[in-house]
Amino acid sequence: MKNYILADEWKIIEEGFRPELHMISESLFSLGNGRMGQRANFEEAYSGQTLPGNYVAGVYYPDKTRVGWWKNGYPEYFAKVLNAANWIGIDVVLGDDQLDLAKAELKSFRRELNMKEGYLKRTFSAVTSGGIEVAVEAIRFCSLVDDETGAIKYTITPLNYSGPVTITPYIDGDVVNKDSNYDEKFWDEVAKETWDGGGYVQLRTRKTGFEVATGQQFMISQGGTELSAAAQNIEKLKYVASKVTLQAVAGQAIIVTKFAANIASLNYPADALAEVLKTTLKAISKKGFEQMLAEQAAAWAKKWQHNDILIEGDISAQQGIRFNIFQLNQTYTGEDDRLNIGPKGFTGEKYGGSTYWDTEAYCVPFYLATADQKVTRNLLLYRYKQLGKAIENAQLLGFKDGAALYPMVTMDGTECHNEWEITFEEIHRNGAIAHAIFDYVRYTGDEQYLSDYGLEVLIAIARFWAQRVNWSGDKQKYVMLGVTGPNEYENNVNNNWYTNTMATWCLQYAIDVASKVKVREPGKYQELVAKITLNEEVEFARFSDIIAKMYYPADEKLGIFLQQDGYLDKEQILVKDLPASERPLNQKWSWDRILRSCYIKQADVLQGLYFFEYNYDVETIRRNYDFYEPRTVHESSLSPCVHAVIAAKLGDEARAYEFYLRTSRLDLDDYNNDTEDGCHITSMAGTWLAVVQGFGGMRVKNNKLSFDPFLPAKWGSFSFHIGFRGNLLNIKVGKQGVQIKNLSGNALTVTIYGKDQIVQANNWLLVEA
Ligand code: BGC
């Protein structure tokens, strides 16, 4: 755990440069706008340890799988979001000294991520090895408004030096992925060009053939006057630059304003990229840096209006929650249904930038409440469009007749994961995808989605479950063998309670939705029946039979559901009795020892009780929570948030707060010692869940929002915004009670502590504590 980020309500601040923490900071101070993003690498040269990272959403490469022992059914490729051309580079040479913070002596250093306005600012003063002292201020952002672009204002002031300085803004596409399986380069050059004050490279990905034109347009001014000195243009393989030599005057600022753009063949024909790029660069440089920055601040202000969480009395909690909300919004804006949310977003390469069940299980509720409903709809459509591939994926594993198994990890719908216990067995992900449809419709009331797209996905998923179970003659029940539940510290188990529960829920939901759609839109329903050759009578009868006769492991004496068959045979030593030196288990123990132990990586039975709490009484939830939490090591970042929500529901406010703390500053304090790989973007949605569903007790019940809040003891108050069916609410939980502000033009009924309250349009009410 680290503790070097300074407390501030709206900023992430690092004061002083510690090279050993630089890779962590590169993750934390990352920038993104949904379409492109980058780690917080330096503009000028840096010869110390760094993980260069620039990413263009949706541009990936299928890297050939590398495994020790091949198994039939393994995917051949792991699709990775590619490290793309570096567009931030500005090389600075003063006299004979290249500016490089790994070599210079630093007198001061500060970086700030301004979350309110969406930019990164770095200031430092440094003395080069030749004794030249400079002060630098660099401001940059990825524009939300012009979302294929970014801009930098780099101000360098030599303090004790007058003489030649060369400044070389460049675009470098000769980049590699750190996690490439065969140390291959993934990009080939297609074209490049330089011109007065700018240039571009156009690169094509091997195999997938995506093309991206990345270009720059820059201007340099000195002492307030724009320089017109001719630049020396440089072109190398996958690289363009313009070298400008000028005479520096001590104390006089030199300002480099650099505009950049990434134009991808995802959005335009490949042969038009160069033209679109030039037009884009012209437009943004005409707009100017200050105007772009002002628009950026306005765009962020608009987002914050709808999704800010305000915590009074705890600055570090405040900073933590805003950081999570900020990063989620930098990663996914919901404009494009071909894009999704990689577990590390644009902040690192781990997990390949691909889509996991994290999106449906954790991120969907966040976007539902904090953004327009089309954002979540696009996340659902992403899966709808990949249904064909999910059916192919199931066929590869031997399933038939339109059964779909969505991949555990994917970019374009093809399975990428290649550990058999996850690829073949962690099938519960299918359930999360169905559950997200349910969640979306419950929240938005958009039943039309079910007829247009949802039902088709639900039937395909239900067909998978119907084929995946088998009848046990011994138990006289349906069973599900050889699975991995959400707890990846168990593999190849029989009858994982969560998976069995998810499966029958999916079967029932598919039947329910089918009967709804049949009544609502009989024509459409019949079209679908024909399209997917649904034999309603036979198939639904089988679904119903499975629902009626599914086996769910349980222990009557303890009154709990069993995570899987035989769980109680394990030696039951609680986590609190494990020596601290043996944690985290995944780093200290052999895999074999982990698999035989009772320790749980992340919520499993409790994940099910979280999703389906309305089906269980509080005492059942409590018994399971009391049993499983003490056996859970929370070695997935997705774990504490679910526990926080359940603890809050059970009235265990102190534990709920404890779990919340573990998620909210997970990256800022580098709890798991892995922030240098990138931030845990998908688990950030879990932090939001901990506040809104945990402390706020928010649920949707009977088409209404319902709140059952409590105020964490350390906080003066907290408040959050919630969008619901076209209305915007602000809920403030304070010492006096709960204040609900209706910021929209319709009266709304909300349920507070179980009682319906009407909040008039543009009005507020207080429910006293
Ligand atoms: C978790 C999975 C999750 C993945 C990506 C793993 O450690 O166990 O549930 O999908 O990380 O976040």
Side-chain angles (χ1 to χ4, degrees):
M1 177 160 164
K2 319 274 180 318
N3 190 10
Y4 73 100
I5 297 299
L6 302 188
D8 188 278
E9 290 182 356
W10 276 111
K11 290 176 183 163
I12 306 302
I13 304 170
E14 178 184 9
E15 187 81 62
F17 184 55
R18 277 141 294 191
E20 70 284 5
L21 301 178
H22 179 52
M23 301 253 284
I24 300 173
S25 295
E26 283 184 327
S27 303
L28 293 177
F29 291 78
S30 288
L31 293 173
N33 62 10
R35 257 210 211 276
M36 60 193 241
Q38 57 179 204
R39 288 170 57 79
N41 308 127
F42 293 161
E43 285 86 358
E44 72 281 351
Y46 183 66
S47 58
Q49 235 197 352
T50 171
L51 174 61
N54 288 278
Y55 311 97
V56 179
V59 174
Y60 62 90
Y61 177 83
D63 199 11
K64 193 157 174 47
T65 301
R66 194 173 192 133
V67 285
W69 204 274
W70 190 262
K71 293 195 168 52
N72 252 350
Y74 269 172
E76 286 181 46
Y77 301 104
F78 193 110
K80 289 175 176 157
V81 164
L82 291 189
N83 210 343
N86 166 11
W87 59 264
I88 64 165
I90 303 174
D91 201 30
V92 179
V93 180
L94 302 124
D96 293 327
D97 295 352
Q98 184 181 45
L99 184 59
D100 174 349
L101 294 197
K103 293 183 180 148
E105 182 203 329
L106 271 165
K107 296 201 137 178
S108 67
F109 178 94
R110 181 180 169 98
R111 50 182 148 192
E112 286 181 10
L113 183 64
N114 184 319
M115 301 185 286
K116 192 171 188 177
E117 299 181 1
Y119 65 86
L120 171 65
K121 175 170 165 184
R122 187 167 57 104
T123 48
F124 63 86
S125 69
V127 183
T128 66
S129 49
I132 298 175
E133 187 172 353
V134 288
V136 170
E137 180 188 88
I139 299 179
R140 78 169 190 254
F141 57 91
C142 290
S143 171
L144 277 183
V145 176
D146 302 295
D147 65 2
E148 293 161 312
T149 76
I152 306 170
K153 185 172 172 192
Y154 192 86
T155 307
I156 171 160
T157 313
L159 298 176
N160 63 352
Y161 170 79
S162 300
V165 171
T166 62
I167 294 181
T168 314
Y170 63 88
I171 301 286
D172 184 4
D174 194 15
V175 292
V176 288
N177 264 52
K178 186 182 161 206
D179 69 348
S180 133
N181 283 342
Y182 297 91
D183 293 331
E184 264 180 280
K185 292 202 170 171
F186 299 139
W187 295 97
D188 289 323
E189 181 183 296
V190 177
K192 64 177 171 250
E193 190 185 332
T194 48
W195 57 78
D196 220 13
Y200 82 96
V201 289
Q202 184 164 331
L203 305 172
R204 182 191 296 129
T205 57
R206 295 184 186 163
K207 291 188 198 160
T208 35
F210 289 111
E211 293 194 23
V212 179
T214 306
Q216 62 172 0
Q217 184 70 49
F218 67 90
M219 26 276 200
I220 301 183
S221 69
Q222 188 177 14
T225 313
E226 198 165 313
L227 295 182
S228 52
Q232 179 198 342
N233 288 341
I234 303 164
E235 295 187 5
K236 290 192 287 190
L237 186 67
K238 306 182 202 175
Y239 175 96
V240 291
S242 299
K243 186 168 167 181
V244 178
T245 304
L246 48 93
Q247 290 298 316
V249 179
Q252 200 174 62
I254 301 164
I255 302 177
V256 185
T257 311
K258 175 167 171 173
F259 302 94
N262 275 311
I263 307 293
S265 61
L266 243 70
N267 308 314
Y268 310 90
D271 58 7
L273 296 185
E275 273 324 298
V276 177
L277 175 89
K278 287 177 190 171
T279 317
T280 308
L281 286 175
K282 219 176 257 166
I284 57 172
S285 41
K286 187 160 169 233
K287 198 185 256 188
F289 184 87
E290 301 306 333
Q291 174 69 17
M292 281 181 82
L293 189 59
E295 288 179 7
Q296 174 83 342
W300 273 102
K302 206 164 155 212
K303 282 201 183 283
W304 286 115
Q305 236 175 37
H306 287 246
N307 61 28
D308 191 20
I309 292 185
L310 199 73
I311 298 172
E312 283 176 337
D314 187 341
I315 191 162
S316 99
Q318 176 68 78
Q319 185 181 40
I321 190 69
R322 283 205 174 118
F323 180 64
N324 288 270
I325 297 170
F326 180 71
Q327 288 293 2
L328 282 161
N329 279 285
Q330 291 209 110
T331 306
Y332 186 74
T333 55
E335 301 292 331
D336 188 332
D337 65 21
R338 296 165 301 172
L339 305 181
N340 210 285
I341 308 152
K344 300 276 172 203
F346 298 119
T347 70
E349 293 176 13
K350 203 171 168 203
Y351 297 116
S354 310
T355 308
Y356 285 65
W357 73 303
D358 305 26
T359 294
E360 283 77 13
Y362 296 87
C363 301
V364 156
F366 167 79
Y367 289 107
L368 273 175
T370 62
D372 190 278
Q373 78 181 52
K374 79 164 196 281
V375 171
T376 307
R377 193 168 192 273
N378 276 345
L379 287 173
L380 302 190
L381 282 175
Y382 173 94
R383 297 289 194 179
Y384 174 77
K385 289 188 165 177
Q386 297 184 353
L387 178 59
K389 293 256 187 180
I391 292 174
E392 271 173 39
N393 185 39
Q395 275 164 357
L396 280 176
L397 305 189
F399 297 88
K400 51 189 190 229
D401 301 331
L405 175 60
Y406 277 93
M408 186 65 188
V409 179
T410 195
M411 200 65 81
D412 67 349
T414 317
E415 175 65 88
C416 290
H417 204 284
N418 54 42
E419 287 169 282
W420 66 267
E421 61 276 29
I422 291 179
T423 313
F424 305 140
E425 297 203 330
E426 207 174 328
I427 50 179
H428 68 79
R429 69 229 184 199
N430 240 16
I433 288 159
H435 190 265
I437 297 175
F438 166 79
D439 219 2
Y440 169 79
V441 176
R442 174 176 57 178
Y443 201 92
T444 61
D446 177 11
E447 304 243 335
Q448 186 63 40
Y449 184 83
L450 296 171
S451 333
D452 292 348
Y453 308 102
L455 181 59
E456 191 174 342
V457 170
L458 294 172
I459 298 276
I461 287 177
R463 283 171 162 174
F464 170 80
W465 293 120
Q467 293 172 37
R468 185 59 169 75
V469 297
N470 65 276
W471 179 252
S472 158
D474 180 41
K475 290 193 165 68
Q476 288 294 299
K477 292 268 182 192
Y478 287 99
V479 292
M480 188 132 42
L481 308 181
V483 306
T484 296
N487 168 24
E488 292 175 345
Y489 287 179
E490 300 275 0
N491 302 148
N492 205 38
V493 300
N494 293 338
N495 295 311
N496 170 258
W497 180 85
Y498 173 78
T499 309
N500 287 14
T501 303
M502 220 0 147
T504 48
W505 177 84
C506 288
L507 293 167
Q508 187 62 57
Y509 187 48
I511 296 175
D512 293 349
V513 170
S515 58
K516 250 192 200 172
V517 172
K518 197 174 181 176
V519 175
R520 232 179 101 98
E521 285 185 73
K524 219 169 202 166
Y525 182 75
Q526 287 314 326
E527 264 170 44
L528 182 67
V529 166
K531 178 177 173 192
I532 62 174
T533 48
L534 177 69
N535 186 335
E536 228 181 309
E537 207 179 311
V538 173
E539 292 192 59
F540 287 3
R542 174 153 171 91
F543 293 179
S544 300
D545 197 45
I546 297 167
I547 295 164
K549 298 178 193 151
M550 181 62 121
Y551 169 70
Y552 303 100
D555 185 84
E556 306 254 305
K557 265 193 286 167
L558 295 170
I560 58 166
F561 304 118
L562 280 187
Q563 189 178 266
Q564 73 252 3
D565 285 352
Y567 180 79
L568 288 178
D569 291 339
K570 287 165 178 273
E571 198 177 8
Q572 302 286 333
I573 302 173
L574 302 187
V575 176
K576 71 174 174 44
D577 299 323
L578 270 177
S581 59
E582 300 195 12
R583 307 275 308 278
L585 297 184
N586 61 20
Q587 287 168 26
K588 301 291 170 66
W589 280 17
S590 72
W591 190 239
D592 146 77
R593 195 172 170 199
I594 290 179
L595 290 179
R596 282 183 287 111
S597 78
C598 70
Y599 300 117
I600 301 168
K601 180 182 180 187
Q602 67 201 89
D604 193 299
V605 168
L606 297 183
Q607 182 77 37
L609 294 175
Y610 163 72
F611 276 151
F612 305 122
E613 61 166 18
Y614 47 84
N615 286 336
Y616 303 95
D617 60 69
V618 173
E619 284 319 308
T620 304
I621 297 175
R622 189 187 305 285
R623 280 193 305 277
N624 281 280
Y625 170 82
D626 287 347
F627 180 81
Y628 285 109
E629 197 291 319
R631 289 161 174 80
T632 305
V633 285
H634 303 289
E635 287 179 13
S636 159
S637 63
L638 300 175
S639 189
C641 56
V642 173
H643 288 80
V645 177
I646 298 183
K649 181 184 169 71
L650 297 176
D652 187 349
E653 299 180 3
R655 292 305 311 278
Y657 188 71
E658 221 177 90
F659 288 126
Y660 162 76
L661 283 185
R662 285 169 80 154
T663 85
S664 114
R665 295 188 62 91
L666 178 76
D667 289 312
L668 287 179
D669 295 339
D670 194 19
Y671 262 82
N672 287 357
N673 251 331
D674 61 357
T675 302
E676 63 183 48
D677 296 335
C679 297
H680 299 80
I681 301 294
T682 47
S683 101
M684 291 181 175
T687 311
W688 181 92
L689 292 175
V691 176
V692 174
Q693 296 186 351
F695 307 156
M698 186 183 94
R699 304 288 188 272
V700 179
K701 291 181 188 164
N702 309 321
N703 292 309
K704 279 179 293 190
L705 282 175
S706 152
F707 300 91
D708 214 347
F710 75 88
L711 181 64
K714 292 210 169 118
W715 295 359
S717 73
F718 72 99
S719 65
F720 52 92
H721 288 90
I722 290 297
F724 185 69
R725 305 193 179 186
N727 304 297
L728 185 63
L729 289 175
N730 179 271
I731 315 296
K732 181 170 180 181
V733 183
K735 296 208 160 68
Q736 296 75 34
V738 188
Q739 176 193 275
I740 304 113
K741 259 194 207 158
N742 182 353
L743 303 169
S744 51
N746 313 306
L748 259 183
T749 305
V750 292
T751 314
I752 311 281
Y753 298 125
K755 231 177 115 193
D756 278 0
Q757 310 274 355
I758 298 173
V759 202
Q760 298 301 340
N762 298 309
N763 217 320
W764 60 276
L765 68 80
L766 180 73
V767 177
E768 285 183 22

